[in-house]
Amino acid sequence: MHASATQPRAADLLAWYDRHRRVLPWRALPGEQADPYRVWVSEIMLQQTTIAAVKPYFERFMVRFPSVEALAAAPSESVMQAWAGLGYYSRARNLHACAKAVADQHGGRFPDTEEGLRALPGIGAYTSGAVAAIAFDRPTVAVDGNVERVITRLFAIEDEMPSAKPLIRERVLALLSLERPGDFAQALMDLGATICTPRSPACGLCPWREPCRARIEGMQESFPRKAVKKTGKTRYGAAFVTMREDGAVLVRTRPARGLLGGMVEVPGSDWRADYELDDALRDAPVSAGWRRLMLPVRHVFTHFPLELTVFAGRVPLETEAPEGMRFTPFHRLKEEAFPNVFLKALEAGLEELQRP
DNA sequence: CAACCGTGGGG
DNA sequence: TCCCCAAGGTT
């Protein structure tokens, strides 16, 4: 007798989850109630970010900001610095705004409904469902990329993303376990992350291998259907690593909105596809004996690649920082909220300055 | 609603 | 090296 297609059941998923659930720093142990603050912070950090990248940030963040009140009371520079390197910095700005809203308008307690959470900054359709289900066991779902992959395979949904989203949500809601919504949400994500992976899914270990339409057709890796997205044109620019005689380095804070908003940078030019490197020194923040590094710093953002040519120079002790800039003592550089692209530029520039 | 918004790792 | 993509939200 061949295994005939059955209907997927939440019970099969939850039974699998009870045996294979991952242990994560923000996840409650079986039978324990999850801490909404930790769940919320983890969900924001995990947006478009891998668990491996998040773990060390999460641990440091919890030490530095142990409660939503502590986070709300912290200066924004401190929050941005704690986030530096994680990417998508609007998440950090919204996180801070959200903490203030919870502390000031909700008495330090997170709303315990999907709708209430959804109204807070940085909390959208996914995160509101995730926190409501995981931290408050509300009967709702959390549809992320994992879930979209699992569900489009399970039902062989041919619609391209993101137009398939409403149908996917409908299917997940139909499967939802009303007894264990929090575990159901986490089980679905664990399944997507460990079994129903983007490439080479381990269908033989899947609790839903029998009802999975995509596996039956041998087409599991072709879901979800997605249109190919095009990458932007490479942009070019100059960055200036300026060291004062006492070792202090010239930096400035970027505007609060937009790319790398609110983060710290070394001064530089605009980034354009047609940037003329020959004229780069007109973008220098101060006059110095600039040395141009031959190897540009390469960095890839979500929507465009960047080639940053670094100039390094020393300036006298009496040099004043231009308007909007400041000299940071060398030993405090590590406390600045540098995104990675500027860490790369800084490292390259400082190395050049060490040479005779 | 499509563009914008980082970064690191895996295949 | 290159490409894809990971627990998305905002505008």
Side-chain angles (χ1 to χ4, degrees):
Chain A
M1 195 66 183
H2 293 288
S4 58
T6 57
Q7 293 304 311
R9 298 184 309 135
D12 295 323
L13 175 67
L14 288 167
W16 171 85
Y17 181 69
D18 288 336
R19 283 185 293 133
H20 300 292
R21 56 181 287 159
R22 292 176 293 174
V23 176
L24 299 168
W26 45 84
R27 182 177 278 183
L29 296 176
E32 287 185 351
Q33 185 60 35
D35 176 357
Y37 175 65
R38 293 170 67 87
V39 171
W40 165 66
V41 171
S42 72
E43 291 299 342
I44 303 297
M45 286 188 171
L46 287 162
Q47 289 170 5
Q48 301 292 288
T49 309
T50 59
I51 285 177
V54 163
K55 270 184 179 171
Y57 279 86
F58 180 82
E59 306 283 12
R60 287 195 298 268
F61 205 89
M62 284 301 127
V63 171
R64 191 160 175 177
F65 311 108
S67 66
V68 68
E69 290 88 353
L71 180 57
S76 64
E77 301 78 46
S78 173
V79 178
M80 300 313 287
Q81 198 259 329
W83 205 274
L86 253 191
Y88 285 129
Y89 298 101
S90 66
R91 292 185 297 173
R93 299 195 298 273
N94 287 330
L95 183 88
H96 198 199
C98 183
K100 290 177 178 174
V102 169
D104 299 344
Q105 300 165 27
H106 298 273
R109 293 187 175 276
F110 281 86
D112 62 358
T113 66
E114 189 170 17
E115 297 72 26
L117 290 159
R118 180 72 178 76
L120 291 166
I123 298 186
Y126 161 75
T127 306
S128 58
V131 176
I134 296 170
F136 299 110
D137 227 30
R138 292 283 180 176
T140 188
V141 296
V143 183
D144 70 339
N146 285 312
V147 177
E148 288 170 354
R149 189 170 56 252
V150 170
I151 297 301
T152 53
R153 287 174 177 173
L154 189 57
F155 298 104
I157 294 174
E158 300 283 351
D159 309 46
E160 270 192 358
M161 298 300 296
S163 48
K165 279 172 177 278
L167 176 56
I168 293 170
R169 183 178 182 82
E170 191 179 311
R171 299 287 186 151
V172 182
L173 280 168
L175 282 168
L176 171 63
S177 158
L178 295 179
E179 290 76 27
R180 302 171 62 186
D183 285 343
F184 180 80
Q186 296 176 95
L188 219 35
M189 289 189 276
D190 275 19
L191 185 68
T194 64
I195 302 290
C196 196
T197 51
R199 286 172 300 247
S200 305
C203 297
L205 302 176
C206 181
W208 281 342
R209 60 188 172 278
E210 289 187 12
C212 182
R213 302 303 309 177
R215 188 199 61 80
I216 291 169
E217 297 166 13
M219 295 290 290
Q220 52 268 33
E221 285 197 67
S222 72
F223 295 93
R225 308 288 201 211
K226 289 184 182 178
V228 289
K229 52 190 164 197
K230 49 191 177 241
T231 64
K233 273 187 296 189
T234 301
R235 299 182 198 179
Y236 303 85
F240 298 89
V241 176
T242 315
M243 181 174 278
R244 213 167 53 181
E245 278 178 26
D246 62 351
V249 174
L250 191 63
V251 303
R252 67 182 171 198
T253 300
R254 293 172 64 87
R257 303 166 190 274
L259 184 66
L260 308 176
M263 304 300 286
V264 175
E265 66 177 356
V266 293
S269 70
D270 290 340
W271 300 341
R272 299 193 309 268
D274 61 352
Y275 185 72
E276 284 294 342
L277 209 46
D278 292 343
D279 305 328
L281 287 188
R282 74 175 57 165
D283 293 316
V286 295
S287 65
W290 294 112
R291 293 149 70 169
R292 173 185 164 179
L293 279 67
M294 290 314 297
L295 204 60
V297 165
R298 297 173 192 281
H299 193 78
V300 180
F301 293 101
T302 305
H303 49 303
F304 67 92
L306 174 69
E307 275 193 33
L308 207 50
T309 296
V310 179
F311 292 82
R314 295 182 182 277
V315 294
L317 191 58
E318 62 271 20
T319 304
E320 289 186 19
E323 177 73 23
M325 306 184 194
R326 55 195 164 83
F327 279 101
T328 295
F330 186 81
H331 70 280
R332 299 192 65 174
L333 277 177
K334 63 174 105 41
E335 299 168 25
E336 296 287 358
F338 288 115
N340 266 16
V341 60
F342 295 117
L343 282 181
K344 291 184 195 174
L346 191 60
E347 187 177 1
L350 292 178
E351 185 185 1
E352 172 66 25
L353 287 174
Q354 280 183 339
R355 305 158 65 105

